[in-house]
């Protein structure tokens, strides 16, 4: 941790000194000398950090020394940031871009004597810190650290053979055939031998044994899916919270969030939903052996109303859990893998994409390394990912002979391979990984969100001034490829947007950040009053759970926490923030108050000068945002989504010159965005823009013209009221980083003539990946530019009620997903849809299209294509719903080999023609594996 912190601080120091070697500054600050001296000492210390970090795992005094070093570094970071903020503030106040330093003379003529005093204060603190570091540097001698020989970690030096997009997400399972068969036969058994109506099957084994993987394998098995009527997967973890579990089950059954927090109501709800159904319930990662807790959940009673043959599958590290559930008979115990299977798992990752002869060369060392995995699949996987990166025999030897294997104090055996992998990361990436300790176990991480959080902690710097978001993406990939992340979630286009952390990896990061990251449940008495060891001022990242309604008050245990850089409140309902609490939050970089009941943001919030990330989303009572927010000059991310009552944003938002991400989607009462936002050239994300004409205070659509950096998604609402010339000013065509665009017109019955002109003016950049246009009254000719979107993968057209023909889409080379909805005037779909002229000889049409859906086209009768051309060769899913007049499917569909799913719903004519077994046309589609006609 220290190494990462200090590497980054060194870079910062370098840039500060560089930026500020201005005679005048030196005069005022007198700090230049101290900064330089601090910096050079820190550099010297940096050389031994690698060794120190390893020693501290076993040596307490080294740990203390590192702690002191970290404290000073954090404080220096704060001081430097204050200094920078001061400069920023002036830039804003003077409205100048050029950095201008205060001289004693102009300080006075601005009448800002305070400022000069403030600068002296900064200088004084730097001096003090420098003195502290002198002592720490001298102490270093006592420990006999080795100077590290390698020139530090440079992420550029690493070789790259594998395509970086192919994340390691190995769910393959090695050597668990027997257990798998046993589990499946238990789940799929016809009736119950031991007479009970349902079965409880515990999967027991130590951490990293692959319990969850085995459970997942069964859960996703086709036969299992077909066997049960309902399947529910709940992550339990520690502590066992009956209400949370019941809630999770309810939500999974209903598919929507549940509002109740009453156990009885929830249980009743579960009961009605599973009555006479065959249910598979997975409780993943159960810890509690406390029978009363288990009984409160009343699962056995509920399960009795299920159909016979239902099952509860439980994964746990503790045999006692199986006992408590009285299910030891059905227990499946996961033992260590044998060497052969362990090696196979390791090889499958370490030798991925390697040449045959390489396997020969490294095979013997690999075998030795695998012996150290002690049969733990997670260890084999982690080491496999590590060695995949290692090119030379020497590097493999180094891993095999690492001192880490000799560490005795490391709490769990499985931490050792993780430590090896961890030490191999570049310092900045280490910090990013450790930051994940702020999340509770089994948390759904969102990639973009995580990157913004890292950014807010200033972890994403690079020498080459690469864009921070890019760096964040690299780091995310790096951590994924080294198996620190898993369970990747992908959107329909296959882009990873989320993941989880294996619970052992979570234990591991908690182990490494023991003092710095703390999660406290304010509800649980032990949690709230437990004293934080050794003292709160070491806590840098605090997550509070279940803070009760009322002003934010820190639990007794957190009174000493005054150096927090992150504060996250989960499942809490605070209404205000007291001044006292603000005092405790002065170092905050990141504040997450999402889902609370704030009705205002206190004026004092402006004092949190370091703040970079503020999430106030889902604040149900928030009507207005204080102007004081605009004093947060460092703010990069402001999340306000789903603040349903929010009516107004502060006028002076133009002052937030560092704002990069503004999220306002779902703020239905928000009348407009303030004009000042139009001056934020560096804005990269504006998720939603509602056109509001006629108010001078409002941001105009054309004001987006200067925001060339916009990226990610943009949703535009209420189009149709605006003039096409205003749309042109916005220059969407220049926004090359924008990937997703959703445009929503006003709808309505009367045709608006202007819509076509507006659509013409919308022409986006050819990099666009997905596009939706809803409730437009224009014609498809206005979409003439769609041909140019060579990268478009997803298109969604809905509610073009006055348009008679579909646009020409057949030649879009990248289109994968196409949805056409509510086109009330379309009677015929023909050649115009594929977009070929009469005499042209076309290549393949819709070459990449995988999913096609037509929905609610009440007047559509005919779908005719030329049959001699190759059309939609990759189509795997076709859905036609609510098209009652459609007479037949075109012949080419019958020949598409890739087609696996065909769904025809609410189409009265087609239903007869294609009825299973009897319809006239049934023979033509009977080869498609998954056909639904109803
Ligand atoms: C991280 O990933 C990026 C691209 O994915 C690559 O360029 C870089 O070398 C990787 N760094 C490490 C330490 O793996
Ligand atoms: C902020 O808190 C909300 C819930 O309170 C959570 O859903 C969200 O993921 C959190 N965001 C971060 C970045 O921690
Ligand atoms: C569809 O099936 C019918 C009856 O089996 C058959 O006569 C007809 O030729 C088939 N059409 C195509 C295009 O294969
Ligand atoms: C089969 O079709 C249904 C309905 O269209 C769909 O929900 C399901 O995912 C499909 N199953 C498979 C295995 O493709």
């Amino acid at each position: 941790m220290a190494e990462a912190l200090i590497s980054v601080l060194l870079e910062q120091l370098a840039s500060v000194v560089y930026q500020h070697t201005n005679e005048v500054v030196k005069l005022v600050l007198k700090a230049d000398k101290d900064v330089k001296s601090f910096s050079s000492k820190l550099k010297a210390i940096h050389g031994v950090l690698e060794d120190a970090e390893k020693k501290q795992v076993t040596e307490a005094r080294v740990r203390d020394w590192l702690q002191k070093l970290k404290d000073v570094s954090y404080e220096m970071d704060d001081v430097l940031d204050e200094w920078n903020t001061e400069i920023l503030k002036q830039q804003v106040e003077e409205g100048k871009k050029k950095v201008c330093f205060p001289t004693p003379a102009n300080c006075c003529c601005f009448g800002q004597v305070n400022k000069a005093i403030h600068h002296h204060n900064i200088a004084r603190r730097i001096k003090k810190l420098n003195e502290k570091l002198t002592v720490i540097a001298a102490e270093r001698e006592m420990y006999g650290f080795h100077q590290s020989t390698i020139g530090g970690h440079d992420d550029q030096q690493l070789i790259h053979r594998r395509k970086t997009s192919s994340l390691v997400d190995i769910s393959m399972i090695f050597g668990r055939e027997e257990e798998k068969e046993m589990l499946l036969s238990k789940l799929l058994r016809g009736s119950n031998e031991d007479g009970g109506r349902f079965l409880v099957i515990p999967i027991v084994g130590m951490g990293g044994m692959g319990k969850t993987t085995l459970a997942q394998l069964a859960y996703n098995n086709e036969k299992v899916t077909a066997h049960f009527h309902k399947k529910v997967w709940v992550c339990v973890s520690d502590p066992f919270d009956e209400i949370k579990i019941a809630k999770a089950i309810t939500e999974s059954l209903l598919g929507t969030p549940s509002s109740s927090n009453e156990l009885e109501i929830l249980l009743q709800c579960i009961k009605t939903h599973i009555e006479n159904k065959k249910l598979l319930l997975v409780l993943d990662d159960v810890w509690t052996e406390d029978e009363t807790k288990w009984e409160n959940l009343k699962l056995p009673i509920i399960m009795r109303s299920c159909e016979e043959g239902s099952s509860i599958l439980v994964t746990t590290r503790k045999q006692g859990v199986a006992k408590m559930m009285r299910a030891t008979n059905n227990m499946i115990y996961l033992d260590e893998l044998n060497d052969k299977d362990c090696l196979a798992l390791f090889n499958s990752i370490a030798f991925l994409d390697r040449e045959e002869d390489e396997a020969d060369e490294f095979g013997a060392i690999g075998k030795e390394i695998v012996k150290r995995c002690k049969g733990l699949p997670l260890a084999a996987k982690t080491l496999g990912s590590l060695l995949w990166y290692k090119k030379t025999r020497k590097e493999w030897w180094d891993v095999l002979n690492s001192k880490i294997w000799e560490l005795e104090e490391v709490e769990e055996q499985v931490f050792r391979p993780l430590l090896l992998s961890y030490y191999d990361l570049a310092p900045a990436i280490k910090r990013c990984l450790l930051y994940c300790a702020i999340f509770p176990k089994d948390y759904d991480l969102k990639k973009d969100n995580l990157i913004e959080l890292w950014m807010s902690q200033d972890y994403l710097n690079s020498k080459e001034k690469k864009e921070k978001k890019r760096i964040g993406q690299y780091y995310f990939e790096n951590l994924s490829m080294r198996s620190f992340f898993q369970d990747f979630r992908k959107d329909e286009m296959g882009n990873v947007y989320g993941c989880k952390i294996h619970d052992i990896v979570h234990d591991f990061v908690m182990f490494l950040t023991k003092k710095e990251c703390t999660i406290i449940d304010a509800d649980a008495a032990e949690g709230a009053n437990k004293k934080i060891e050794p003292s709160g001022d070491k806590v840098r990242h605090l997550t509070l759970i279940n803070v009760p309604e009322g002003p934010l008050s820190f639990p007794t245990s957190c009174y000493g926490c005054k150096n927090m850089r992150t504060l996250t409140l989960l499942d809490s309902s605070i209404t205000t923030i007291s001044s006292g609490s603000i005092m405790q939050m002065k170092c905050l970089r990141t504040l997450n108050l999402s889902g609370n009941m704030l009705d205002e943001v206190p004026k004092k919030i402006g004092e949190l000068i370091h703040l970079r990330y503020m999430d106030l989303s889902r604040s149900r009572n928030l009507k207005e945002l204080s102007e004081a927010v605009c004093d947060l000059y460092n703010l990069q991310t402001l999340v306000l989504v789903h603040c349903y009552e929010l009516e107004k944003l502060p006028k002076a938002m133009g002052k937030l010159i560092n704002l990069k991400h503004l999220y306002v989607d779902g703020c239905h009462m928000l009348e407009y965005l303030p004009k000042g936002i139009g001056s934020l050239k560096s804005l990269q994300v504006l998720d939603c823009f509602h056109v509001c004409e006629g108010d001078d205070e409002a941001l105009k659509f054309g004001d987006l013209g200067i925001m060339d950096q916009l990226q990610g998604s943009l949703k535009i609402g209420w189009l149709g009221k605006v003039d096409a010339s205003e749309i042109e000013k916005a220059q969407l065509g220049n926004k090359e980083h924008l990937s997703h665009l959703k445009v929503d017109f006003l709808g309505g019955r009367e045709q608006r003539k202007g819509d076509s002109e507006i659509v013409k003016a919308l022409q986006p950049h050819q990099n666009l990946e997905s596009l939706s246009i809803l409730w437009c009254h224009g014609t498809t000719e206005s979409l003439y530019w769609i041909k140019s979107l060579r990268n478009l993968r997803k298109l969604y057209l809905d509610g073009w009620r006055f348009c008679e023909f579909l646009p020409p889409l057949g030649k879009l080379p990248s289109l994968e997903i196409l949805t056409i909805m509510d086109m009330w005037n379309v009677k015929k779909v023909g050649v115009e849809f594929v977009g070929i002229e009469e005499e042209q000889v076309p290549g393949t049409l819709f070459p990449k299209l995988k999913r096609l859906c037509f929905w609610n086209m009440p007047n559509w009768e005919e779908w005719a294509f030329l049959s001699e051309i190759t059309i939609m060769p990759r189509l795997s899913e076709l859905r036609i719903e609510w098209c009652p007049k459609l007479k037949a499917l075109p012949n080419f569909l019958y020949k598409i080999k890739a087609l696996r799913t065909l769904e025809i719903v609410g189409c009265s004519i087609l239903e007869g023609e294609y009825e299973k077994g009897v319809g006239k046309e049934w023979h033509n589609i009977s080869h498609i594996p998954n056909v639904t006609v109803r």
Side-chain angles (χ1 to χ4, degrees):
M1 188 74 180
E3 189 195 357
L5 169 64
I6 282 156
S7 304
V8 175
L9 182 58
L10 273 173
E11 274 165 36
Q12 247 160 291
L13 282 164
S15 71
V16 166
V17 176
Y18 169 69
Q19 262 182 32
H20 303 266
T21 35
N22 175 312
E23 286 308 307
V24 190
V25 183
K26 273 190 224 161
L27 229 169
V28 178
L29 289 170
K30 295 202 191 93
D32 190 54
K33 214 175 79 225
D34 284 326
V35 170
K36 281 209 174 106
S37 144
F38 189 96
S39 184
S40 73
K41 269 178 294 210
L42 203 58
K43 245 181 236 157
I45 294 177
H46 186 246
V48 304
L49 277 179
E50 203 174 308
D51 191 34
E53 293 254 16
K54 287 177 189 166
K55 285 208 165 106
Q56 64 140 350
V57 181
T58 50
E59 282 183 56
R61 47 186 206 131
V62 175
R63 225 174 294 155
D64 291 342
W65 179 76
L66 276 173
Q67 184 64 52
K68 277 191 276 183
L69 180 61
K70 276 192 285 190
D71 289 347
V72 169
S73 303
Y74 271 124
E75 219 175 306
M76 189 62 167
D77 181 46
D78 282 343
V79 175
L80 292 180
D81 198 49
E82 238 174 86
W83 181 355
N84 269 325
T85 310
E86 196 58 40
I87 294 169
L88 271 181
K89 192 166 158 191
Q90 268 181 39
Q91 275 180 30
V92 174
E93 278 169 8
E94 291 163 21
K96 278 190 224 150
K97 190 75 207 96
K98 217 175 121 265
V99 180
C100 159
F101 295 99
T103 64
N106 73 19
C107 271
C108 295
C109 73
F110 273 106
Q112 286 168 325
V113 186
N114 277 345
K115 205 170 272 168
I117 294 172
H118 186 75
H119 285 157
H120 279 298
N121 185 18
I122 288 182
R124 214 190 56 229
R125 279 157 68 199
I126 292 179
K127 185 156 185 274
K128 264 212 167 130
L129 288 171
N130 189 29
E131 285 160 8
K132 274 194 201 166
L133 190 66
T134 310
V135 178
I136 295 172
E139 282 174 2
R140 164 180 54 137
E141 310 299 335
M142 299 173 1
Y143 303 110
F145 295 130
H146 299 294
Q147 197 79 21
S148 43
T149 43
I150 26 171
H153 296 264
D154 191 348
D155 46 7
Q156 295 315 304
Q157 291 173 354
L158 282 155
I159 25 97
H160 258 268
R161 279 167 292 126
R162 181 159 32 179
K163 280 202 304 291
T164 47
S165 58
S166 62
L167 304 170
V168 185
D169 194 12
I170 309 257
S171 46
M172 269 184 292
I173 197 154
F174 286 83
R176 297 285 190 215
E177 279 312 311
E178 224 172 277
E179 288 90 345
K180 184 183 146 195
E181 284 313 311
M182 189 162 33
L183 178 56
L184 288 181
S185 77
K186 280 180 197 288
L187 288 173
L188 298 173
R189 82 214 182 289
S191 64
N192 207 335
E193 309 98 54
D194 42 8
R197 289 185 62 79
F198 66 95
L199 202 59
V200 179
I201 310 171
I203 303 179
V204 183
M206 63 184 277
M209 259 325 157
K211 298 179 293 294
T212 305
T213 315
L214 181 62
Q216 271 169 349
L217 205 72
Y219 190 80
N220 295 324
N221 180 283
E222 267 178 39
K223 284 189 197 146
V224 170
T225 307
H227 183 74
F228 292 96
H229 300 127
K230 299 253 177 194
K231 293 194 300 178
V232 174
W233 182 291
V234 178
C235 296
V236 179
S237 287
D238 214 21
F240 190 90
D241 181 336
E242 302 92 308
I243 296 179
K244 250 194 206 150
I245 297 169
K247 219 170 154 162
I249 299 177
T250 323
E251 286 173 7
S252 166
L253 285 169
L254 295 176
T256 53
S258 101
S259 52
S260 176
N261 277 323
E262 297 262 349
L263 189 58
E264 276 311 312
I265 297 176
L266 290 166
L267 294 180
Q268 199 52 47
C269 174
I270 296 175
K271 211 168 151 188
T272 48
H273 275 88
I274 59 175
E275 209 134 42
N276 300 322
K277 300 247 164 57
K278 205 178 280 181
L279 173 76
L280 171 60
L281 172 62
V282 181
L283 299 176
D284 190 24
D285 199 21
V286 177
W287 288 81
T288 189
E289 292 170 75
D290 179 349
E291 237 167 292
T292 44
K293 292 208 157 180
W294 181 240
E295 274 158 16
N296 285 345
L297 201 53
K298 296 197 181 135
L299 278 181
I301 299 173
I302 289 177
M303 292 298 284
R304 256 170 242 139
S305 60
C306 290
E307 190 177 301
E308 183 161 350
S310 295
S311 290
I312 303 181
L313 188 57
V314 179
T315 74
T316 178
R317 292 191 203 172
K318 296 161 118 184
Q319 286 217 31
V321 171
K323 253 190 216 136
M324 174 197 77
M325 294 179 164
R326 302 196 177 81
T328 38
N329 282 344
N330 285 315
M331 187 169 82
I332 294 178
Y333 189 81
L334 290 190
D335 234 327
E336 285 91 14
L337 289 182
N338 63 34
D339 283 351
K340 192 173 122 268
D341 291 326
C342 205
L343 186 66
L345 172 58
F346 171 86
N347 285 347
S348 74
I349 301 172
F351 291 111
L352 196 75
D353 297 345
R354 274 195 210 239
E355 304 294 329
E356 285 279 324
D357 54 336
E358 271 190 283
D360 289 345
E361 191 185 342
F362 293 92
I365 316 176
K367 255 185 209 154
E368 287 306 308
I369 292 175
V370 168
K371 281 191 189 142
R372 314 224 139 163
C373 296
K374 304 256 194 283
L376 272 172
L378 180 69
K381 193 172 148 182
T382 312
L383 285 178
S385 314
L386 172 66
L387 288 162
W388 181 86
Y389 281 90
K390 305 289 175 199
K391 202 174 55 167
T392 63
R393 278 174 72 88
K394 173 163 183 325
E395 285 172 312
W396 280 56
W397 275 115
D398 286 346
V399 170
L400 178 61
N401 296 324
S402 165
K403 290 252 186 317
I404 289 175
W405 298 114
E406 293 158 25
L407 296 180
E408 282 181 3
E409 264 189 44
V410 176
E411 295 181 352
E412 291 211 44
Q413 280 186 13
V414 67
F415 282 3
R416 286 177 209 157
L418 287 174
L419 263 180
L420 264 166
S421 262
Y422 170 77
Y423 284 134
D424 198 60
L425 295 172
I429 305 184
K430 278 184 190 147
R431 290 186 95 181
C432 291
L433 173 65
L434 294 181
Y435 193 71
C436 297
I438 69 162
F439 303 110
K441 259 199 181 163
D442 205 57
Y443 198 77
D444 278 312
L445 301 177
K446 301 277 182 312
K447 178 173 146 191
D448 287 344
N449 190 214
L450 192 58
I451 292 173
E452 283 167 17
L453 289 175
W454 289 338
M455 204 190 283
S456 71
Q457 295 290 321
D458 211 11
Y459 293 167
L460 305 180
N461 294 303
S462 84
K463 290 183 196 103
E464 313 106 74
K465 298 262 164 270
K466 255 194 267 163
E467 225 248 302
K468 291 192 192 238
K469 204 165 247 166
R470 272 245 57 82
I471 301 173
Q473 260 148 7
Y474 284 156
Y475 289 2
F476 184 88
E477 279 170 24
N478 293 147
L479 290 168
S480 305
M481 289 177 52
R482 286 166 184 269
S483 302
F484 285 111
F485 294 155
Q486 60 172 30
D487 288 341
F488 298 100
R489 236 139 311 161
K490 299 180 182 167
D491 65 15
E492 335 175 62
M493 292 179 287
N495 302 316
V496 171
Y497 69 86
C499 68
K500 284 193 177 182
I501 298 185
H502 191 289
D503 59 346
I504 304 274
V505 177
H506 191 270
D507 289 348
F508 174 73
V509 291
M510 294 289 271
F511 164 77
L512 290 176
T513 56
K514 237 182 257 160
K515 287 171 194 159
E516 300 198 8
C517 298
T518 303
I519 300 181
I520 292 179
D521 188 337
D523 210 14
E526 350 69 82
N529 300 316
K530 186 177 65 184
K531 214 169 145 280
I532 298 178
E533 296 293 339
S535 72
D537 63 356
K538 302 286 179 283
V539 174
R540 309 285 169 182
H541 310 286
L542 178 65
T543 301
L544 292 176
I545 306 181
N546 291 320
V547 182
E549 195 170 330
L552 169 62
S553 62
F554 289 99
T556 337
S557 54
C558 306
Y559 281 159
C561 305
K562 53 183 169 46
N563 291 323
M564 290 176 286
R565 293 175 163 229
T566 306
L567 176 63
T568 307
L569 262 54
L570 296 177
D571 299 325
S572 299
S573 24
I574 63 162
T575 50
T576 51
I577 307 171
S578 67
S579 311
S581 301
I582 293 269
M583 286 304 292
Q584 259 188 283
M585 292 157 61
K586 285 275 168 85
C587 293
L588 276 193
R589 268 53 174 181
T590 310
L591 176 62
N592 184 359
L593 297 175
S594 167
N596 279 279
M597 312 216 289
L598 287 179
D599 35 33
E600 59 165 14
V601 175
K603 288 221 166 50
K604 282 200 156 235
I605 198 103
E607 292 179 18
L608 306 183
I609 57 160
H610 302 290
L611 203 62
R612 281 153 168 80
Y613 180 106
M614 181 154 68
D615 184 348
L616 297 170
S617 60
R618 296 189 291 118
S619 297
R620 279 158 282 165
N621 301 336
L622 195 64
K623 282 207 163 60
E624 209 174 309
L625 207 56
S626 159
E627 285 287 334
V629 168
C630 304
D631 292 336
L632 300 170
Y633 297 109
N634 284 308
L635 200 67
Q636 294 167 344
T637 304
L638 180 58
V639 189
L640 298 166
V641 295
H642 299 301
C643 288
Y644 298 117
E645 298 290 325
L646 188 67
E647 290 166 4
K648 235 178 138 155
L649 291 179
K651 245 192 201 162
M653 279 184 76
K655 278 162 71 184
L656 295 173
I657 54 173
N658 276 308
L659 195 68
K660 291 201 170 64
H661 317 115
L662 176 61
Y663 295 96
V664 290
D665 195 10
C667 298
H668 301 308
M669 303 293 276
L670 192 62
E671 279 171 53
Y672 55 78
L673 297 173
K675 188 96 190 149
I677 291 177
S679 64
L680 303 177
K681 285 205 191 72
S682 54
L683 201 67
Q684 294 177 347
V685 175
L686 176 62
D687 63 339
C688 180
F689 182 93
H690 282 217
V691 173
C692 169
E693 291 302 289
D695 196 323
D696 289 343
E697 310 260 292
L699 185 70
K700 297 278 172 292
F701 193 68
D703 293 334
L704 302 190
I706 61 154
M707 299 178 194
D708 280 345
Q709 299 309 312
L710 280 189
Q711 49 180 257
S713 343
L714 172 62
K715 204 161 126 180
I716 307 168
W718 307 118
L719 222 59
K721 278 202 283 196
V722 74
D723 214 46
S725 65
E726 190 69 24
I727 308 276
E728 259 158 36
K729 268 194 236 154
Q731 304 203 33
L732 291 180
N734 286 351
K735 310 214 178 328
E736 55 179 317
H737 304 293
L738 203 62
S739 315
H740 314 285
L741 182 63
K742 182 174 171 190
V743 184
D744 203 338
F745 282 79
L746 286 167
R749 286 173 178 279
E750 296 298 312
Q751 183 165 15
R752 278 184 312 278
K753 292 279 186 264
D755 282 12
S756 280
E757 290 309 306
I758 293 176
V759 172
K760 279 183 196 160
L762 274 173
Q763 175 162 20
H765 192 273
Q766 62 169 24
N767 287 349
L768 199 72
E769 270 187 51
S770 81
L771 173 67
S772 308
I773 306 182
L774 287 72
W775 310 111
C776 174
H777 286 180
T779 59
T780 41
E781 283 90 71
S782 55
L783 274 175
Y784 73 95
W785 42 258
I786 201 142
K787 299 193 290 282
S788 68
L789 300 184
R790 289 190 287 110
N791 297 295
L792 193 70
R793 298 170 67 190
K794 185 176 154 192
L795 177 64
Y796 183 98
L797 299 175
D798 184 0
W800 292 52
R801 54 193 292 175
F802 295 98
C803 118
E804 293 172 26
F805 301 102
L806 296 186
L809 304 174
K811 283 192 284 190
L812 289 179
S814 307
L815 191 65
E816 289 171 31
I817 302 172
L818 174 61
T819 306
I820 310 268
M821 292 171 76
D822 302 303
M823 298 281 200
W824 298 354
N825 266 334
V826 172
K827 291 202 176 71
K828 182 178 167 183
V829 173
V831 281
E832 77 290 344
F833 181 43
V834 295
I836 42 170
E837 324 287 317
E838 292 289 323
E839 63 281 3
Q840 242 178 337
V841 184
T844 305
L845 294 169
F846 295 100
K848 292 239 174 103
L849 194 68
K850 285 193 200 128
R851 287 163 46 189
L852 175 61
C853 172
F854 291 99
W855 205 87
N856 193 25
M857 314 249 291
N859 292 308
W860 184 23
E861 293 169 11
E862 192 183 345
W863 183 2
F865 275 172
L866 313 167
S867 53
E868 56 276 14
I869 322 166
T870 315
I871 304 177
M872 306 183 186
R874 304 223 184 141
L875 190 71
S876 73
E877 188 182 316
L878 172 65
R879 307 152 88 89
I880 301 182
E881 302 189 27
W882 313 109
C883 303
K885 293 192 186 163
L886 185 61
K887 287 187 234 137
L889 297 179
N891 289 341
F892 78 88
L893 283 176
Y894 305 153
K895 292 181 225 144
I896 301 174
K897 292 208 176 66
L899 195 60
R900 305 201 58 79
T901 296
L902 173 64
E903 188 174 80
I904 299 174
V905 173
C907 307
S908 28
I909 304 181
L910 294 187
E911 267 164 39
E913 299 284 303
Y914 293 95
E915 194 181 340
K916 189 164 184 173
V918 293
K920 206 157 81 307
E921 298 279 328
W922 166 251
H923 295 286
N924 297 323
I925 59 160
S926 57
H927 62 283
I928 301 172
N930 186 14
V931 179
T932 312
V933 181
R934 61 186 154 86

